[in-house]
Amino acid sequence: AARSRAHDHAMRRRLLIAGLLALPRLVRAESGTQGTIIIGPAWALPADHGDGQLFVPLLNRSAMPDALTAARSTICPLVELRRNNRYDDPPLDRIALEPGQPVPMQPTDRHLRLVSLRQPLRIGESFGVILDFQVAGEIEIAASVEAAP
């Protein structure tokens, strides 16, 4: 049974990595010898006001560890790194990116919280986000507003 679970976990991991690598809207960002971060399609749930949620799947293709340490956007004054939807917990100070380990983001799980939206997030719209990585530096991406990825 343990062997079967280990095999299933390994298979899911390979499928997730393959999926990240095959996504047509993939953004690649390289920072010379500092490493490579692969960013899957960034998407946000629709929101009328208050706070929003942004999901950005990440993969570190470098041999060195990295971390997402901050994010910012003109659509809100603050972006928090979150481990879940329990907003009474303090935000994360970083999201670790170990080499070759996919970092998925999804509703009720790890995500970026868009605090005090300046405008509604409507399906079909997009907005810019700057991600700050400890090693790779700043990477600017576009996020689309969708009901689901």
Side-chain angles (χ1 to χ4, degrees):
R3 180 181 229 184
S4 177
R5 279 187 298 236
H7 180 271
D8 288 349
H9 176 72
M11 181 61 83
R12 280 193 299 267
R13 182 170 169 237
R14 282 193 294 272
L15 287 172
L16 180 58
I17 290 171
L20 278 173
L21 295 175
L23 292 169
R25 297 183 308 177
L26 197 64
V27 175
R28 279 185 192 256
E30 297 190 24
S31 181
T33 59
Q34 297 300 310
T36 301
I37 303 296
I38 295 181
I39 302 170
W43 65 283
L45 288 169
D48 285 327
H49 63 313
D51 297 343
Q53 293 184 354
L54 174 62
F55 310 98
V56 186
L58 302 168
L59 177 65
N60 178 2
R61 297 267 319 232
S62 166
M64 298 174 51
D66 204 341
L68 177 63
T69 57
R72 61 189 183 279
S73 177
T74 59
I75 65 161
C76 62
L78 177 65
V79 178
E80 294 179 342
L81 310 178
R82 305 302 304 195
R83 91 180 73 225
N84 55 39
N85 283 352
R86 294 190 356 225
Y87 294 146
D88 51 337
D89 290 346
L92 301 170
D93 60 349
R94 63 196 311 258
I95 294 176
L97 300 171
E98 296 301 325
Q101 298 291 319
V103 178
M105 293 192 192
Q106 60 191 13
T108 73
D109 201 358
R110 184 178 14 236
H111 66 280
L112 305 181
R113 180 182 182 192
L114 307 171
V115 180
S116 300
L117 291 169
R118 293 183 173 122
Q119 65 191 51
L121 299 179
R122 304 270 187 244
I123 291 178
E125 295 179 347
S126 62
F127 58 93
V129 179
I130 297 173
L131 304 174
D132 295 320
F133 295 91
Q134 184 175 349
V135 176
E138 291 185 353
I139 299 173
E140 189 168 354
I141 63 169
S144 59
V145 181
E146 303 175 17

